[in-house]
Amino acid sequence: MAKTIVITGAGDGLGRALARRFARDGETVVLLGRTLSKVQAVADEIGAPHFAIKCDVGNPDSVRAAFATIAQTHPKIDVLINNAGIFEPFTLGEVSDDQVISQITTNLAGPIFCAREALPLLRGGGQIINVTSEGVALKMPMLWLYAGTKAGLELVSDMWGRELESEGVRVTVVRAGQMFDETKTAPPWPQDVAIRFATENAKVGLNLRERPLSHYNSVTDAFRAVIDMPADLHIGTVALSAARR
């Protein structure tokens, strides 16, 4: 039986790849994104019954409205994939108020808001998949806040797993490595920031140009496997990293 899968940050990158994959697999996909035109373009590409909703995951009112809309046609959902995130390097001395607030609200508060509103639709057999990053383990220079929000999400996920077990909701973390597809462009950071980021990482032995990349389409296989696990199995964390071919 087809599953209903809600994906945040579904307008590009991994979120778009997941939407395309699950649509091909015959599931019903609900695409959430802060920029409606981006998620709508993906929804148009994959066609009905899939649909897009404008949703800023860091805004609780926006999340409430999105899940109220979902509930009108899907009173039961099977999977919530908290994929939306902000990735931006900076030092403590230079970080702005807006940068702190946007990363914490999107990367950590966002999955909390979404899971809270999705919970009534997930009870009795649903699943939450929270996407984190290998940056939690690598502790890359200038990514302390990004890694911190992802580490926090991993802890939250572990505790949700115990809390929600009696409600029939499984919680899994997918800790992802570096990914790409043919449309990926350079990050929209100032050039001096990008240079300092590469330089500081090289100092600790992380050469960004030499590190391997996985294709988004390959990574979707891991999500497929997690979703297809029998109900009597629980996967707490799946750690992915890119491999050289």
Side-chain angles (χ1 to χ4, degrees):
M1 184 175 179
K3 297 181 183 296
T4 299
I5 302 175
V6 179
I7 305 170
T8 71
D12 57 19
L14 177 60
R16 178 174 60 192
L18 288 167
R20 289 168 170 167
R21 167 63 184 270
F22 293 129
R24 288 196 305 269
D25 289 349
E27 319 293 10
T28 298
V29 182
V30 182
L31 302 89
L32 303 185
R34 183 166 50 185
T35 304
L36 181 59
S37 60
K38 291 174 68 174
V39 284
Q40 188 61 58
V42 181
D44 290 343
E45 172 196 330
I46 61 180
H50 320 289
F51 63 97
I53 301 175
K54 178 180 173 62
C55 179
D56 178 355
V57 299
N59 181 323
D61 290 332
S62 179
V63 173
R64 270 189 285 269
F67 280 89
T69 299
I70 293 169
Q72 291 175 6
T73 54
H74 296 280
K76 171 69 176 172
I77 64 175
D78 299 285
V79 184
L80 165 66
I81 301 178
N82 281 313
N83 166 71
I86 295 176
F87 174 92
E88 184 179 6
F90 38 66
T91 64
L92 178 59
E94 69 191 7
V95 63
S96 69
D97 294 349
D98 287 344
Q99 287 172 317
V100 171
I101 292 168
S102 65
Q103 286 214 23
I104 292 175
T105 54
T106 299
N107 296 356
L108 182 56
I112 296 171
F113 294 147
C114 289
R116 181 184 63 185
E117 299 307 315
L119 184 56
L121 313 180
L122 288 165
R123 287 189 175 105
Q127 186 170 25
I128 298 169
I129 301 178
N130 291 325
V131 180
T132 68
S133 167
E134 66 179 359
V136 172
L138 291 177
K139 298 180 175 62
M140 301 172 75
M142 298 180 69
L143 281 187
W144 50 270
L145 185 54
Y146 176 75
T149 58
K150 294 299 187 179
L153 183 57
E154 291 190 1
L155 176 61
V156 164
S157 301
D158 183 52
M159 298 183 74
W160 282 354
R162 288 181 292 174
E163 178 181 319
L164 300 178
E165 184 177 11
S166 63
E167 302 193 55
V169 178
R170 294 184 291 176
V171 182
T172 297
V173 166
V174 175
R175 182 190 280 187
Q178 290 195 120
M179 297 171 280
F180 82 104
D181 70 6
E182 291 71 20
T183 67
K184 189 169 184 177
T185 59
W189 310 326
Q191 185 175 17
D192 68 303
V193 172
I195 292 172
R196 283 193 293 121
F197 180 53
T199 301
E200 292 304 312
N201 276 274
K203 289 178 182 178
V204 299
L206 295 172
N207 188 321
L208 303 184
R209 292 191 175 186
E210 295 181 356
R211 299 191 73 239
L213 295 169
S214 294
H215 198 284
Y216 289 122
N217 292 340
S218 300
V219 176
T220 66
D221 285 348
F223 287 80
R224 179 77 267 175
V226 168
I227 290 172
D228 289 343
M229 283 293 145
D232 61 345
L233 288 179
H234 171 68
I235 299 179
T237 300
V238 176
L240 307 176
S241 59
R244 300 188 187 281
R245 298 185 184 184

Short mmCIF file of all heavy atoms in Angstrom, two decimals, residues 29-91:
data_model
loop_
_atom_site.label_atom_id
_atom_site.label_comp_id
_atom_site.label_asym_id
_atom_site.label_seq_id
_atom_site.Cartn_x
_atom_site.Cartn_y
_atom_site.Cartn_z
N VAL A 29 3.72 12.01 -2.18
CA VAL A 29 4.69 12.92 -1.58
C VAL A 29 4.07 14.30 -1.37
O VAL A 29 3.43 14.85 -2.29
CB VAL A 29 5.94 13.05 -2.47
CG1 VAL A 29 6.97 13.97 -1.82
CG2 VAL A 29 6.56 11.68 -2.74
N VAL A 30 4.27 14.85 -0.17
CA VAL A 30 3.89 16.22 0.13
C VAL A 30 5.19 17.00 0.30
O VAL A 30 6.02 16.68 1.15
CB VAL A 30 3.05 16.32 1.41
CG1 VAL A 30 2.64 17.77 1.65
CG2 VAL A 30 1.82 15.42 1.31
N LEU A 31 5.36 18.03 -0.53
CA LEU A 31 6.61 18.78 -0.57
C LEU A 31 6.45 20.11 0.16
O LEU A 31 5.58 20.92 -0.20
CB LEU A 31 7.02 19.06 -2.03
CG LEU A 31 7.22 17.86 -2.95
CD1 LEU A 31 5.92 17.47 -3.64
CD2 LEU A 31 8.28 18.16 -3.99
N LEU A 32 7.27 20.32 1.18
CA LEU A 32 7.24 21.57 1.92
C LEU A 32 8.51 22.36 1.64
O LEU A 32 9.61 21.79 1.56
CB LEU A 32 7.14 21.32 3.43
CG LEU A 32 5.97 20.48 3.94
CD1 LEU A 32 5.96 20.46 5.47
CD2 LEU A 32 4.65 21.02 3.42
N GLY A 33 8.36 23.68 1.50
CA GLY A 33 9.53 24.52 1.28
C GLY A 33 9.20 25.98 1.53
O GLY A 33 8.06 26.41 1.39
N ARG A 34 10.23 26.72 1.90
CA ARG A 34 10.04 28.14 2.21
C ARG A 34 9.71 28.95 0.97
O ARG A 34 8.97 29.92 1.02
CB ARG A 34 11.30 28.68 2.89
CG ARG A 34 11.22 30.11 3.35
CD ARG A 34 12.35 30.44 4.30
NE ARG A 34 13.65 30.04 3.78
CZ ARG A 34 14.78 30.13 4.48
NH1 ARG A 34 14.75 30.56 5.73
NH2 ARG A 34 15.92 29.77 3.94
N THR A 35 10.27 28.54 -0.18
CA THR A 35 10.01 29.24 -1.44
C THR A 35 9.02 28.39 -2.26
O THR A 35 9.40 27.33 -2.79
CB THR A 35 11.31 29.45 -2.23
OG1 THR A 35 12.24 30.16 -1.42
CG2 THR A 35 11.04 30.25 -3.50
N LEU A 36 7.78 28.85 -2.34
CA LEU A 36 6.74 28.04 -2.98
C LEU A 36 7.07 27.71 -4.42
O LEU A 36 6.82 26.58 -4.88
CB LEU A 36 5.39 28.76 -2.91
CG LEU A 36 4.20 28.01 -3.53
CD1 LEU A 36 4.00 26.65 -2.87
CD2 LEU A 36 2.94 28.86 -3.43
N SER A 37 7.65 28.65 -5.16
CA SER A 37 7.92 28.40 -6.58
C SER A 37 8.85 27.20 -6.77
O SER A 37 8.71 26.44 -7.74
CB SER A 37 8.53 29.65 -7.22
OG SER A 37 9.75 30.01 -6.61
N LYS A 38 9.79 27.00 -5.86
CA LYS A 38 10.75 25.88 -5.98
C LYS A 38 10.07 24.53 -5.72
O LYS A 38 10.24 23.59 -6.49
CB LYS A 38 11.92 26.09 -5.03
CG LYS A 38 12.82 27.26 -5.42
CD LYS A 38 13.88 27.53 -4.37
CE LYS A 38 14.90 26.42 -4.30
NZ LYS A 38 16.02 26.75 -3.38
N VAL A 39 9.31 24.45 -4.63
CA VAL A 39 8.65 23.16 -4.36
C VAL A 39 7.51 22.90 -5.33
O VAL A 39 7.24 21.75 -5.69
CB VAL A 39 8.14 23.08 -2.89
CG1 VAL A 39 9.29 22.83 -1.95
CG2 VAL A 39 7.35 24.29 -2.48
N GLN A 40 6.87 23.98 -5.81
CA GLN A 40 5.80 23.79 -6.79
C GLN A 40 6.36 23.26 -8.10
O GLN A 40 5.73 22.42 -8.77
CB GLN A 40 5.06 25.10 -7.03
CG GLN A 40 3.81 24.95 -7.89
CD GLN A 40 2.79 24.03 -7.25
OE1 GLN A 40 2.34 24.27 -6.13
NE2 GLN A 40 2.41 22.96 -7.96
N ALA A 41 7.55 23.73 -8.47
CA ALA A 41 8.17 23.25 -9.70
C ALA A 41 8.44 21.75 -9.62
O ALA A 41 8.24 21.01 -10.59
CB ALA A 41 9.47 24.00 -9.97
N VAL A 42 8.89 21.28 -8.46
CA VAL A 42 9.14 19.84 -8.29
C VAL A 42 7.82 19.07 -8.30
O VAL A 42 7.71 18.01 -8.92
CB VAL A 42 9.92 19.57 -7.00
CG1 VAL A 42 10.20 18.07 -6.85
CG2 VAL A 42 11.23 20.34 -6.98
N ALA A 43 6.81 19.62 -7.61
CA ALA A 43 5.50 18.96 -7.60
C ALA A 43 4.92 18.87 -9.01
O ALA A 43 4.33 17.85 -9.39
CB ALA A 43 4.55 19.72 -6.68
N ASP A 44 5.08 19.94 -9.79
CA ASP A 44 4.60 19.92 -11.17
C ASP A 44 5.34 18.87 -12.00
O ASP A 44 4.75 18.19 -12.86
CB ASP A 44 4.77 21.29 -11.82
CG ASP A 44 3.83 22.33 -11.23
OD1 ASP A 44 2.84 21.94 -10.57
OD2 ASP A 44 4.09 23.54 -11.42
N GLU A 45 6.62 18.75 -11.74
CA GLU A 45 7.44 17.78 -12.48
C GLU A 45 6.99 16.35 -12.20
O GLU A 45 6.87 15.54 -13.13
CB GLU A 45 8.91 17.95 -12.08
CG GLU A 45 9.84 16.88 -12.63
CD GLU A 45 11.18 16.85 -11.93
OE1 GLU A 45 11.64 17.91 -11.45
OE2 GLU A 45 11.77 15.76 -11.85
N ILE A 46 6.75 16.01 -10.93
CA ILE A 46 6.40 14.63 -10.59
C ILE A 46 4.91 14.35 -10.73
O ILE A 46 4.49 13.21 -10.81
CB ILE A 46 6.91 14.25 -9.19
CG1 ILE A 46 6.28 15.13 -8.11
CG2 ILE A 46 8.43 14.35 -9.13
CD1 ILE A 46 6.76 14.79 -6.70
N GLY A 47 4.10 15.44 -10.79
CA GLY A 47 2.68 15.30 -11.10
C GLY A 47 1.81 14.85 -9.95
O GLY A 47 2.28 14.56 -8.85
N ALA A 48 0.50 14.80 -10.20
CA ALA A 48 -0.48 14.37 -9.19
C ALA A 48 -0.25 12.89 -8.86
O ALA A 48 0.24 12.13 -9.71
CB ALA A 48 -1.89 14.60 -9.71
N PRO A 49 -0.55 12.51 -7.61
CA PRO A 49 -1.26 13.22 -6.55
C PRO A 49 -0.36 14.02 -5.62
O PRO A 49 -0.79 14.47 -4.57
CB PRO A 49 -1.91 12.07 -5.78
CG PRO A 49 -0.90 10.97 -5.85
CD PRO A 49 -0.30 11.08 -7.23
N HIS A 50 0.90 14.19 -6.00
CA HIS A 50 1.86 14.89 -5.16
C HIS A 50 1.56 16.39 -5.18
O HIS A 50 1.13 16.93 -6.20
CB HIS A 50 3.27 14.60 -5.65
CG HIS A 50 3.45 13.18 -6.08
ND1 HIS A 50 3.47 12.13 -5.19
CD2 HIS A 50 3.57 12.62 -7.32
CE1 HIS A 50 3.62 10.99 -5.84
NE2 HIS A 50 3.67 11.26 -7.14
N PHE A 51 1.82 17.06 -4.07
CA PHE A 51 1.52 18.50 -4.04
C PHE A 51 2.47 19.24 -3.12
O PHE A 51 3.11 18.64 -2.24
CB PHE A 51 0.07 18.76 -3.64
CG PHE A 51 -0.32 18.30 -2.26
CD1 PHE A 51 -0.34 19.17 -1.18
CD2 PHE A 51 -0.70 16.98 -2.04
CE1 PHE A 51 -0.71 18.75 0.08
CE2 PHE A 51 -1.09 16.55 -0.78
CZ PHE A 51 -1.09 17.43 0.28
N ALA A 52 2.57 20.55 -3.36
CA ALA A 52 3.51 21.42 -2.64
C ALA A 52 2.77 22.38 -1.74
O ALA A 52 1.66 22.83 -2.06
CB ALA A 52 4.37 22.19 -3.64
N ILE A 53 3.40 22.72 -0.61
CA ILE A 53 2.86 23.69 0.33
C ILE A 53 4.00 24.61 0.76
O ILE A 53 5.09 24.14 1.11
CB ILE A 53 2.26 23.02 1.57
CG1 ILE A 53 1.15 22.05 1.19
CG2 ILE A 53 1.73 24.06 2.56
CD1 ILE A 53 0.60 21.25 2.37
N LYS A 54 3.75 25.88 0.75
CA LYS A 54 4.72 26.84 1.26
C LYS A 54 4.81 26.68 2.78
O LYS A 54 3.80 26.70 3.49
CB LYS A 54 4.30 28.28 0.92
CG LYS A 54 5.24 29.36 1.46
CD LYS A 54 4.74 30.74 1.06
CE LYS A 54 5.54 31.85 1.73
NZ LYS A 54 6.96 31.83 1.33
N CYS A 55 6.03 26.51 3.29
CA CYS A 55 6.20 26.32 4.73
C CYS A 55 7.61 26.74 5.13
O CYS A 55 8.60 26.18 4.64
CB CYS A 55 5.95 24.87 5.11
SG CYS A 55 6.18 24.53 6.87
N ASP A 56 7.71 27.69 6.03
CA ASP A 56 8.97 28.06 6.66
C ASP A 56 9.05 27.27 7.95
O ASP A 56 8.36 27.57 8.92
CB ASP A 56 9.00 29.56 6.93
CG ASP A 56 10.26 30.02 7.63
OD1 ASP A 56 11.10 29.17 8.00
OD2 ASP A 56 10.42 31.24 7.85
N VAL A 57 9.90 26.24 7.99
CA VAL A 57 9.90 25.34 9.14
C VAL A 57 10.31 26.03 10.44
O VAL A 57 10.00 25.56 11.54
CB VAL A 57 10.80 24.11 8.90
CG1 VAL A 57 10.31 23.31 7.71
CG2 VAL A 57 12.27 24.50 8.76
N GLY A 58 11.00 27.17 10.32
CA GLY A 58 11.41 27.89 11.51
C GLY A 58 10.34 28.79 12.09
O GLY A 58 10.53 29.41 13.13
N ASN A 59 9.20 28.85 11.41
CA ASN A 59 8.08 29.68 11.86
C ASN A 59 6.95 28.76 12.32
O ASN A 59 6.32 28.09 11.49
CB ASN A 59 7.62 30.58 10.70
CG ASN A 59 6.48 31.50 11.10
OD1 ASN A 59 5.59 31.13 11.86
ND2 ASN A 59 6.49 32.70 10.55
N PRO A 60 6.66 28.70 13.62
CA PRO A 60 5.65 27.74 14.09
C PRO A 60 4.27 27.97 13.49
O PRO A 60 3.53 27.00 13.27
CB PRO A 60 5.66 27.93 15.61
CG PRO A 60 6.31 29.25 15.85
CD PRO A 60 7.27 29.46 14.72
N ASP A 61 3.91 29.22 13.23
CA ASP A 61 2.61 29.47 12.61
C ASP A 61 2.55 28.92 11.19
O ASP A 61 1.53 28.36 10.77
CB ASP A 61 2.30 30.97 12.60
CG ASP A 61 2.02 31.53 13.99
OD1 ASP A 61 1.56 30.75 14.86
OD2 ASP A 61 2.28 32.72 14.22
N SER A 62 3.65 29.07 10.46
CA SER A 62 3.71 28.53 9.10
C SER A 62 3.62 27.01 9.12
O SER A 62 2.93 26.39 8.29
CB SER A 62 5.02 28.97 8.43
OG SER A 62 5.13 28.46 7.13
N VAL A 63 4.29 26.38 10.09
CA VAL A 63 4.25 24.91 10.20
C VAL A 63 2.85 24.45 10.57
O VAL A 63 2.32 23.47 10.00
CB VAL A 63 5.28 24.44 11.24
CG1 VAL A 63 5.13 22.94 11.49
CG2 VAL A 63 6.69 24.77 10.77
N ARG A 64 2.20 25.14 11.51
CA ARG A 64 0.83 24.77 11.89
C ARG A 64 -0.10 24.83 10.70
O ARG A 64 -0.91 23.93 10.47
CB ARG A 64 0.33 25.68 13.01
CG ARG A 64 0.62 25.20 14.41
CD ARG A 64 -0.09 26.03 15.45
NE ARG A 64 0.57 27.32 15.62
CZ ARG A 64 1.54 27.54 16.51
NH1 ARG A 64 1.95 26.56 17.30
NH2 ARG A 64 2.09 28.73 16.62
N ALA A 65 0.03 25.90 9.92
CA ALA A 65 -0.84 26.07 8.75
C ALA A 65 -0.59 24.97 7.72
O ALA A 65 -1.53 24.43 7.12
CB ALA A 65 -0.62 27.44 8.13
N ALA A 66 0.68 24.62 7.52
CA ALA A 66 1.01 23.60 6.52
C ALA A 66 0.42 22.25 6.90
O ALA A 66 -0.18 21.56 6.06
CB ALA A 66 2.53 23.49 6.38
N PHE A 67 0.56 21.86 8.16
CA PHE A 67 0.06 20.54 8.55
C PHE A 67 -1.46 20.51 8.68
O PHE A 67 -2.08 19.45 8.50
CB PHE A 67 0.76 20.05 9.81
CG PHE A 67 2.12 19.48 9.52
CD1 PHE A 67 3.24 20.29 9.52
CD2 PHE A 67 2.25 18.15 9.19
CE1 PHE A 67 4.49 19.78 9.21
CE2 PHE A 67 3.50 17.62 8.87
CZ PHE A 67 4.62 18.43 8.88
N ALA A 68 -2.06 21.67 8.94
CA ALA A 68 -3.53 21.73 8.90
C ALA A 68 -4.01 21.49 7.47
O ALA A 68 -5.02 20.80 7.25
CB ALA A 68 -4.00 23.08 9.41
N THR A 69 -3.28 22.04 6.50
CA THR A 69 -3.63 21.81 5.09
C THR A 69 -3.44 20.34 4.72
O THR A 69 -4.28 19.74 4.04
CB THR A 69 -2.76 22.70 4.18
OG1 THR A 69 -3.00 24.08 4.49
CG2 THR A 69 -3.09 22.46 2.72
N ILE A 70 -2.34 19.75 5.17
CA ILE A 70 -2.09 18.33 4.88
C ILE A 70 -3.22 17.48 5.45
O ILE A 70 -3.73 16.56 4.79
CB ILE A 70 -0.74 17.90 5.46
CG1 ILE A 70 0.41 18.59 4.73
CG2 ILE A 70 -0.58 16.38 5.38
CD1 ILE A 70 1.76 18.43 5.40
N ALA A 71 -3.63 17.77 6.68
CA ALA A 71 -4.64 16.95 7.36
C ALA A 71 -5.99 16.97 6.65
O ALA A 71 -6.79 16.03 6.81
CB ALA A 71 -4.80 17.41 8.80
N GLN A 72 -6.25 18.01 5.87
CA GLN A 72 -7.52 18.09 5.17
C GLN A 72 -7.68 16.96 4.16
O GLN A 72 -8.78 16.46 3.92
CB GLN A 72 -7.64 19.44 4.46
CG GLN A 72 -7.81 20.61 5.43
CD GLN A 72 -7.79 21.95 4.70
OE1 GLN A 72 -7.77 22.01 3.45
NE2 GLN A 72 -7.81 23.04 5.44
N THR A 73 -6.57 16.54 3.55
CA THR A 73 -6.64 15.47 2.54
C THR A 73 -5.94 14.20 3.00
O THR A 73 -6.18 13.13 2.44
CB THR A 73 -6.01 15.94 1.22
OG1 THR A 73 -4.68 16.43 1.47
CG2 THR A 73 -6.85 17.05 0.59
N HIS A 74 -5.06 14.30 4.00
CA HIS A 74 -4.32 13.15 4.48
C HIS A 74 -4.36 13.12 6.01
O HIS A 74 -3.41 13.53 6.67
CB HIS A 74 -2.86 13.20 3.99
CG HIS A 74 -2.72 13.11 2.51
ND1 HIS A 74 -2.78 11.91 1.83
CD2 HIS A 74 -2.54 14.08 1.57
CE1 HIS A 74 -2.63 12.14 0.53
NE2 HIS A 74 -2.49 13.45 0.35
N PRO A 75 -5.46 12.63 6.58
CA PRO A 75 -5.56 12.56 8.03
C PRO A 75 -4.57 11.58 8.65
O PRO A 75 -4.38 11.57 9.87
CB PRO A 75 -7.00 12.10 8.27
CG PRO A 75 -7.41 11.42 6.99
CD PRO A 75 -6.69 12.13 5.91
N LYS A 76 -3.93 10.78 7.81
CA LYS A 76 -2.88 9.86 8.26
C LYS A 76 -1.69 9.99 7.32
O LYS A 76 -1.84 9.93 6.10
CB LYS A 76 -3.40 8.42 8.23
CG LYS A 76 -2.36 7.35 8.47
CD LYS A 76 -1.85 7.36 9.89
CE LYS A 76 -0.86 6.20 10.12
NZ LYS A 76 -0.21 6.30 11.44
N ILE A 77 -0.51 10.25 7.90
CA ILE A 77 0.72 10.22 7.10
C ILE A 77 1.63 9.14 7.66
O ILE A 77 1.54 8.77 8.84
CB ILE A 77 1.44 11.59 7.06
CG1 ILE A 77 1.93 12.01 8.45
CG2 ILE A 77 0.57 12.65 6.43
CD1 ILE A 77 2.76 13.29 8.43
N ASP A 78 2.49 8.63 6.81
CA ASP A 78 3.36 7.52 7.20
C ASP A 78 4.76 7.96 7.60
O ASP A 78 5.37 7.37 8.49
CB ASP A 78 3.45 6.51 6.05
CG ASP A 78 2.09 5.93 5.70
OD1 ASP A 78 1.61 5.07 6.46
OD2 ASP A 78 1.52 6.35 4.68
N VAL A 79 5.26 8.99 6.93
CA VAL A 79 6.65 9.39 7.17
C VAL A 79 6.77 10.91 7.10
O VAL A 79 6.21 11.55 6.20
CB VAL A 79 7.61 8.77 6.12
CG1 VAL A 79 9.06 9.12 6.44
CG2 VAL A 79 7.43 7.27 6.02
N LEU A 80 7.52 11.46 8.06
CA LEU A 80 7.95 12.86 8.01
C LEU A 80 9.46 12.86 7.89
O LEU A 80 10.15 12.28 8.76
CB LEU A 80 7.53 13.62 9.26
CG LEU A 80 8.22 14.98 9.49
CD1 LEU A 80 7.83 15.98 8.40
CD2 LEU A 80 7.90 15.53 10.88
N ILE A 81 9.99 13.47 6.84
CA ILE A 81 11.44 13.61 6.69
C ILE A 81 11.80 15.07 6.92
O ILE A 81 11.49 15.95 6.12
CB ILE A 81 11.91 13.16 5.29
CG1 ILE A 81 11.53 11.70 5.04
CG2 ILE A 81 13.43 13.35 5.16
CD1 ILE A 81 11.92 11.18 3.67
N ASN A 82 12.46 15.33 8.05
CA ASN A 82 12.93 16.68 8.38
C ASN A 82 14.27 16.90 7.71
O ASN A 82 15.33 16.58 8.28
CB ASN A 82 13.03 16.84 9.89
CG ASN A 82 11.69 17.10 10.55
OD1 ASN A 82 10.92 17.93 10.09
ND2 ASN A 82 11.41 16.37 11.62
N ASN A 83 14.23 17.44 6.51
CA ASN A 83 15.42 17.60 5.68
C ASN A 83 15.89 19.06 5.58
O ASN A 83 17.08 19.31 5.37
CB ASN A 83 15.13 17.06 4.27
CG ASN A 83 16.17 17.48 3.26
OD1 ASN A 83 17.29 17.01 3.27
ND2 ASN A 83 15.79 18.40 2.37
N ALA A 84 15.00 20.02 5.74
CA ALA A 84 15.35 21.42 5.56
C ALA A 84 16.47 21.83 6.51
O ALA A 84 16.49 21.43 7.68
CB ALA A 84 14.13 22.31 5.79
N GLY A 85 17.41 22.62 6.01
CA GLY A 85 18.50 23.06 6.86
C GLY A 85 19.26 24.21 6.24
O GLY A 85 19.20 24.43 5.03
N ILE A 86 19.98 24.93 7.08
CA ILE A 86 20.83 26.04 6.65
C ILE A 86 22.27 25.69 7.00
O ILE A 86 22.58 25.32 8.14
CB ILE A 86 20.42 27.36 7.31
CG1 ILE A 86 19.03 27.78 6.87
CG2 ILE A 86 21.44 28.46 6.99
CD1 ILE A 86 18.52 29.04 7.55
N PHE A 87 23.15 25.85 6.03
CA PHE A 87 24.57 25.49 6.16
C PHE A 87 25.39 26.73 5.83
O PHE A 87 25.38 27.19 4.68
CB PHE A 87 24.86 24.34 5.20
CG PHE A 87 26.30 23.92 5.09
CD1 PHE A 87 26.80 22.92 5.90
CD2 PHE A 87 27.14 24.51 4.16
CE1 PHE A 87 28.13 22.51 5.79
CE2 PHE A 87 28.46 24.12 4.03
CZ PHE A 87 28.96 23.11 4.85
N GLU A 88 26.04 27.30 6.83
CA GLU A 88 26.82 28.52 6.58
C GLU A 88 27.96 28.61 7.60
O GLU A 88 27.72 28.48 8.79
CB GLU A 88 25.92 29.75 6.69
CG GLU A 88 26.62 31.04 6.35
CD GLU A 88 25.70 32.25 6.45
OE1 GLU A 88 24.55 32.09 6.89
OE2 GLU A 88 26.15 33.35 6.08
N PRO A 89 29.19 28.82 7.13
CA PRO A 89 30.33 28.91 8.05
C PRO A 89 30.57 30.34 8.53
O PRO A 89 30.36 31.30 7.80
CB PRO A 89 31.49 28.43 7.18
CG PRO A 89 31.12 28.87 5.80
CD PRO A 89 29.61 28.82 5.72
N PHE A 90 31.06 30.44 9.77
CA PHE A 90 31.45 31.73 10.34
C PHE A 90 32.18 31.47 11.65
O PHE A 90 32.10 30.37 12.21
CB PHE A 90 30.25 32.65 10.58
CG PHE A 90 29.00 31.96 11.06
CD1 PHE A 90 28.95 31.34 12.30
CD2 PHE A 90 27.88 31.89 10.25
CE1 PHE A 90 27.80 30.69 12.73
CE2 PHE A 90 26.73 31.23 10.67
CZ PHE A 90 26.69 30.64 11.92
N THR A 91 32.88 32.48 12.12
CA THR A 91 33.53 32.40 13.42
C THR A 91 32.64 33.02 14.47
O THR A 91 31.69 33.76 14.17
CB THR A 91 34.88 33.13 13.41
OG1 THR A 91 34.65 34.53 13.19
CG2 THR A 91 35.80 32.58 12.32
#
